[in-house]
Amino acid sequence: MSDLHERVLDWYAENARELPWRAPDATPWGVMVSEFMLQQTPVARVLPVYERWLEAWPRPADLAAVSTGEAVRAWGRLGYPRRALRLHGAATGIVERHGGEVPSSYDDLLALPGIGDYTAAAIASFAFGRRHVVLDTNVRRVLGRAVAGVEFPATAVTRAERDLATGLLPDADAVAATWAVATMELGAVVCTAAAPRCGACPVADLCAWRAAGYPAYDGPPRRGQTYAGTDRQCRGRLLAVLRDSDGPVHRSTLEQAWSPAGQRDRCLDWLVDDGLVARLSADTFALP
DNA sequence: TATGCGTGGAA
DNA sequence: TTTCCAAGCAT
């Protein structure tokens, strides 16, 4: 084991945040729920929703037994509500094909809706102690800086990146799993995107990016996320109206929530197509 | 493979 | 006030 590994593992042992999905009594289902919620969403916003979610649906079968609308409502304002639909679908698949137990293999996990390479590896690693390369944005940034010497990784995962991460993965399953969560944690709280806290970094003196004098990012412009006026904002606004209503909502109520009308109507149809909204009649809508 | 999908806190 | 961005996925 290299200095890099020992430093990161020791740092994690001392500095890991206590999060409910890392608690000794966390179940694979709890880990899975957390991974869905944490996709593109900060920990602080996930925590309260996670607690309520597991209280309501402590097992996959509990979620699979309710309507998708209940899942969408409970998702609240976490964002990207299709994740709620996919988590519900994944729970259903677990009940139908895995006897109600979250599968432990990467391939079985990957086959479930809403689970891609990262999430499959993360669940297999964190919930079952399997050895997997867990390449999320944090790990990519940490390895990119510490080893490759660049401020930010490429837009998409490159072969070189995956090879690097594979080469650094400890041999033993349990150590590999801890390495995965430790490198993620380092990226989340120390080696952050905007203002890295190099003074608190256990591998600062090994860091290639630091040694090179913190060269600025040199690559294609990183895509900004415009939001005001987009379909995303429109969809979010419409769904919020339905989420905040107890029963069906008349079209006239939705019409007050957004203009222009053309975009609103198109987004409403789209939400229905996505399964996020149910059309009860020509002019009434509700959560599915 | 480049894009679009929500949301809100921080700088 | 803007801009950035936070444990990705599906297409």
PDB file of all heavy atoms in Angstrom, chain A residues 201-220:
ATOM      1  N   CYS A 201      -5.568  18.904   3.616  1.00  0.00           N
ATOM      2  CA  CYS A 201      -5.481  17.690   2.804  1.00  0.00           C
ATOM      3  C   CYS A 201      -4.338  16.788   3.256  1.00  0.00           C
ATOM      4  O   CYS A 201      -3.195  17.239   3.380  1.00  0.00           O
ATOM      5  CB  CYS A 201      -5.297  18.058   1.339  1.00  0.00           C
ATOM      6  SG  CYS A 201      -5.193  16.600   0.269  1.00  0.00           S
ATOM      7  N   PRO A 202      -4.637  15.523   3.490  1.00  0.00           N
ATOM      8  CA  PRO A 202      -3.609  14.586   3.964  1.00  0.00           C
ATOM      9  C   PRO A 202      -2.573  14.238   2.897  1.00  0.00           C
ATOM     10  O   PRO A 202      -1.523  13.682   3.232  1.00  0.00           O
ATOM     11  CB  PRO A 202      -4.430  13.346   4.361  1.00  0.00           C
ATOM     12  CG  PRO A 202      -5.636  13.402   3.475  1.00  0.00           C
ATOM     13  CD  PRO A 202      -5.958  14.867   3.336  1.00  0.00           C
ATOM     14  N   VAL A 203      -2.849  14.546   1.655  1.00  0.00           N
ATOM     15  CA  VAL A 203      -1.894  14.196   0.593  1.00  0.00           C
ATOM     16  C   VAL A 203      -1.408  15.433  -0.167  1.00  0.00           C
ATOM     17  O   VAL A 203      -0.943  15.324  -1.303  1.00  0.00           O
ATOM     18  CB  VAL A 203      -2.492  13.166  -0.390  1.00  0.00           C
ATOM     19  CG1 VAL A 203      -2.789  11.864   0.340  1.00  0.00           C
ATOM     20  CG2 VAL A 203      -3.743  13.700  -1.064  1.00  0.00           C
ATOM     21  N   ALA A 204      -1.507  16.581   0.476  1.00  0.00           N
ATOM     22  CA  ALA A 204      -1.116  17.823  -0.203  1.00  0.00           C
ATOM     23  C   ALA A 204       0.323  17.741  -0.707  1.00  0.00           C
ATOM     24  O   ALA A 204       0.641  18.195  -1.807  1.00  0.00           O
ATOM     25  CB  ALA A 204      -1.291  19.012   0.735  1.00  0.00           C
ATOM     26  N   ASP A 205       1.204  17.154   0.100  1.00  0.00           N
ATOM     27  CA  ASP A 205       2.622  17.119  -0.296  1.00  0.00           C
ATOM     28  C   ASP A 205       2.897  16.063  -1.367  1.00  0.00           C
ATOM     29  O   ASP A 205       3.998  15.988  -1.897  1.00  0.00           O
ATOM     30  CB  ASP A 205       3.506  16.871   0.923  1.00  0.00           C
ATOM     31  CG  ASP A 205       3.185  15.561   1.604  1.00  0.00           C
ATOM     32  OD1 ASP A 205       1.992  15.278   1.827  1.00  0.00           O
ATOM     33  OD2 ASP A 205       4.118  14.796   1.894  1.00  0.00           O
ATOM     34  N   LEU A 206       1.877  15.254  -1.686  1.00  0.00           N
ATOM     35  CA  LEU A 206       2.024  14.268  -2.767  1.00  0.00           C
ATOM     36  C   LEU A 206       1.292  14.722  -4.030  1.00  0.00           C
ATOM     37  O   LEU A 206       1.363  14.049  -5.059  1.00  0.00           O
ATOM     38  CB  LEU A 206       1.452  12.915  -2.326  1.00  0.00           C
ATOM     39  CG  LEU A 206       2.023  12.262  -1.059  1.00  0.00           C
ATOM     40  CD1 LEU A 206       1.238  10.981  -0.742  1.00  0.00           C
ATOM     41  CD2 LEU A 206       3.502  11.963  -1.225  1.00  0.00           C
ATOM     42  N   CYS A 207       0.586  15.829  -3.926  1.00  0.00           N
ATOM     43  CA  CYS A 207      -0.347  16.224  -4.985  1.00  0.00           C
ATOM     44  C   CYS A 207       0.382  16.778  -6.206  1.00  0.00           C
ATOM     45  O   CYS A 207       1.104  17.770  -6.136  1.00  0.00           O
ATOM     46  CB  CYS A 207      -1.323  17.265  -4.445  1.00  0.00           C
ATOM     47  SG  CYS A 207      -2.517  17.861  -5.668  1.00  0.00           S
ATOM     48  N   ALA A 208       0.119  16.162  -7.350  1.00  0.00           N
ATOM     49  CA  ALA A 208       0.780  16.582  -8.595  1.00  0.00           C
ATOM     50  C   ALA A 208       0.296  17.960  -9.044  1.00  0.00           C
ATOM     51  O   ALA A 208       1.075  18.749  -9.585  1.00  0.00           O
ATOM     52  CB  ALA A 208       0.504  15.548  -9.696  1.00  0.00           C
ATOM     53  N   TRP A 209      -0.972  18.239  -8.810  1.00  0.00           N
ATOM     54  CA  TRP A 209      -1.522  19.536  -9.223  1.00  0.00           C
ATOM     55  C   TRP A 209      -0.901  20.662  -8.397  1.00  0.00           C
ATOM     56  O   TRP A 209      -0.508  21.695  -8.919  1.00  0.00           O
ATOM     57  CB  TRP A 209      -3.041  19.529  -9.057  1.00  0.00           C
ATOM     58  CG  TRP A 209      -3.724  20.779  -9.525  1.00  0.00           C
ATOM     59  CD1 TRP A 209      -3.566  21.397 -10.721  1.00  0.00           C
ATOM     60  CD2 TRP A 209      -4.675  21.543  -8.783  1.00  0.00           C
ATOM     61  NE1 TRP A 209      -4.367  22.521 -10.784  1.00  0.00           N
ATOM     62  CE2 TRP A 209      -5.063  22.634  -9.615  1.00  0.00           C
ATOM     63  CE3 TRP A 209      -5.258  21.421  -7.519  1.00  0.00           C
ATOM     64  CZ2 TRP A 209      -5.999  23.588  -9.215  1.00  0.00           C
ATOM     65  CZ3 TRP A 209      -6.196  22.361  -7.113  1.00  0.00           C
ATOM     66  CH2 TRP A 209      -6.555  23.442  -7.955  1.00  0.00           C
ATOM     67  N   ARG A 210      -0.753  20.397  -7.099  1.00  0.00           N
ATOM     68  CA  ARG A 210      -0.125  21.374  -6.206  1.00  0.00           C
ATOM     69  C   ARG A 210       1.344  21.558  -6.578  1.00  0.00           C
ATOM     70  O   ARG A 210       1.842  22.691  -6.668  1.00  0.00           O
ATOM     71  CB  ARG A 210      -0.258  20.889  -4.762  1.00  0.00           C
ATOM     72  CG  ARG A 210       0.372  21.784  -3.719  1.00  0.00           C
ATOM     73  CD  ARG A 210       0.253  21.113  -2.331  1.00  0.00           C
ATOM     74  NE  ARG A 210       0.900  21.869  -1.270  1.00  0.00           N
ATOM     75  CZ  ARG A 210       0.330  22.858  -0.600  1.00  0.00           C
ATOM     76  NH1 ARG A 210      -0.908  23.232  -0.917  1.00  0.00           N
ATOM     77  NH2 ARG A 210       0.976  23.501   0.359  1.00  0.00           N
ATOM     78  N   ALA A 211       2.026  20.443  -6.840  1.00  0.00           N
ATOM     79  CA  ALA A 211       3.452  20.505  -7.173  1.00  0.00           C
ATOM     80  C   ALA A 211       3.690  21.297  -8.455  1.00  0.00           C
ATOM     81  O   ALA A 211       4.730  21.952  -8.619  1.00  0.00           O
ATOM     82  CB  ALA A 211       4.010  19.089  -7.320  1.00  0.00           C
ATOM     83  N   ALA A 212       2.715  21.242  -9.338  1.00  0.00           N
ATOM     84  CA  ALA A 212       2.858  21.945 -10.619  1.00  0.00           C
ATOM     85  C   ALA A 212       2.473  23.417 -10.514  1.00  0.00           C
ATOM     86  O   ALA A 212       2.509  24.138 -11.518  1.00  0.00           O
ATOM     87  CB  ALA A 212       2.000  21.251 -11.680  1.00  0.00           C
ATOM     88  N   GLY A 213       2.084  23.833  -9.305  1.00  0.00           N
ATOM     89  CA  GLY A 213       1.738  25.241  -9.131  1.00  0.00           C
ATOM     90  C   GLY A 213       0.282  25.554  -9.440  1.00  0.00           C
ATOM     91  O   GLY A 213      -0.038  26.667  -9.847  1.00  0.00           O
ATOM     92  N   TYR A 214      -0.595  24.572  -9.236  1.00  0.00           N
ATOM     93  CA  TYR A 214      -2.030  24.765  -9.449  1.00  0.00           C
ATOM     94  C   TYR A 214      -2.355  25.308 -10.844  1.00  0.00           C
ATOM     95  O   TYR A 214      -3.018  26.350 -10.953  1.00  0.00           O
ATOM     96  CB  TYR A 214      -2.623  25.711  -8.398  1.00  0.00           C
ATOM     97  CG  TYR A 214      -2.505  25.211  -6.980  1.00  0.00           C
ATOM     98  CD1 TYR A 214      -1.731  25.912  -6.043  1.00  0.00           C
ATOM     99  CD2 TYR A 214      -3.160  24.056  -6.574  1.00  0.00           C
ATOM    100  CE1 TYR A 214      -1.623  25.473  -4.732  1.00  0.00           C
ATOM    101  CE2 TYR A 214      -3.062  23.610  -5.266  1.00  0.00           C
ATOM    102  CZ  TYR A 214      -2.286  24.325  -4.354  1.00  0.00           C
ATOM    103  OH  TYR A 214      -2.186  23.889  -3.065  1.00  0.00           O
ATOM    104  N   PRO A 215      -1.882  24.668 -11.897  1.00  0.00           N
ATOM    105  CA  PRO A 215      -2.230  25.156 -13.240  1.00  0.00           C
ATOM    106  C   PRO A 215      -3.741  25.179 -13.421  1.00  0.00           C
ATOM    107  O   PRO A 215      -4.446  24.261 -12.990  1.00  0.00           O
ATOM    108  CB  PRO A 215      -1.573  24.121 -14.169  1.00  0.00           C
ATOM    109  CG  PRO A 215      -1.404  22.891 -13.333  1.00  0.00           C
ATOM    110  CD  PRO A 215      -1.131  23.400 -11.944  1.00  0.00           C
ATOM    111  N   ALA A 216      -4.218  26.242 -14.045  1.00  0.00           N
ATOM    112  CA  ALA A 216      -5.661  26.392 -14.254  1.00  0.00           C
ATOM    113  C   ALA A 216      -6.160  25.356 -15.258  1.00  0.00           C
ATOM    114  O   ALA A 216      -5.404  24.858 -16.090  1.00  0.00           O
ATOM    115  CB  ALA A 216      -5.975  27.798 -14.744  1.00  0.00           C
ATOM    116  N   TYR A 217      -7.432  25.044 -15.138  1.00  0.00           N
ATOM    117  CA  TYR A 217      -8.086  24.098 -16.033  1.00  0.00           C
ATOM    118  C   TYR A 217      -7.850  24.507 -17.477  1.00  0.00           C
ATOM    119  O   TYR A 217      -8.021  25.665 -17.855  1.00  0.00           O
ATOM    120  CB  TYR A 217      -9.582  24.062 -15.728  1.00  0.00           C
ATOM    121  CG  TYR A 217     -10.404  23.260 -16.703  1.00  0.00           C
ATOM    122  CD1 TYR A 217     -10.338  21.868 -16.712  1.00  0.00           C
ATOM    123  CD2 TYR A 217     -11.241  23.889 -17.611  1.00  0.00           C
ATOM    124  CE1 TYR A 217     -11.103  21.128 -17.598  1.00  0.00           C
ATOM    125  CE2 TYR A 217     -12.011  23.164 -18.498  1.00  0.00           C
ATOM    126  CZ  TYR A 217     -11.938  21.781 -18.490  1.00  0.00           C
ATOM    127  OH  TYR A 217     -12.694  21.054 -19.368  1.00  0.00           O
ATOM    128  N   ASP A 218      -7.439  23.542 -18.271  1.00  0.00           N
ATOM    129  CA  ASP A 218      -7.162  23.809 -19.673  1.00  0.00           C
ATOM    130  C   ASP A 218      -7.864  22.765 -20.525  1.00  0.00           C
ATOM    131  O   ASP A 218      -7.328  21.711 -20.810  1.00  0.00           O
ATOM    132  CB  ASP A 218      -5.643  23.775 -19.916  1.00  0.00           C
ATOM    133  CG  ASP A 218      -5.297  23.923 -21.398  1.00  0.00           C
ATOM    134  OD1 ASP A 218      -6.072  24.581 -22.115  1.00  0.00           O
ATOM    135  OD2 ASP A 218      -4.276  23.369 -21.823  1.00  0.00           O
ATOM    136  N   GLY A 219      -9.083  23.063 -20.879  1.00  0.00           N
ATOM    137  CA  GLY A 219      -9.843  22.119 -21.681  1.00  0.00           C
ATOM    138  C   GLY A 219     -11.059  22.801 -22.264  1.00  0.00           C
ATOM    139  O   GLY A 219     -11.176  24.023 -22.176  1.00  0.00           O
ATOM    140  N   PRO A 220     -11.938  22.024 -22.839  1.00  0.00           N
ATOM    141  CA  PRO A 220     -13.151  22.614 -23.405  1.00  0.00           C
ATOM    142  C   PRO A 220     -13.959  23.277 -22.300  1.00  0.00           C
ATOM    143  O   PRO A 220     -13.929  22.829 -21.149  1.00  0.00           O
ATOM    144  CB  PRO A 220     -13.882  21.402 -23.997  1.00  0.00           C
ATOM    145  CG  PRO A 220     -13.320  20.217 -23.289  1.00  0.00           C
ATOM    146  CD  PRO A 220     -11.898  20.571 -22.969  1.00  0.00           C
TER     147      PRO A 220
END
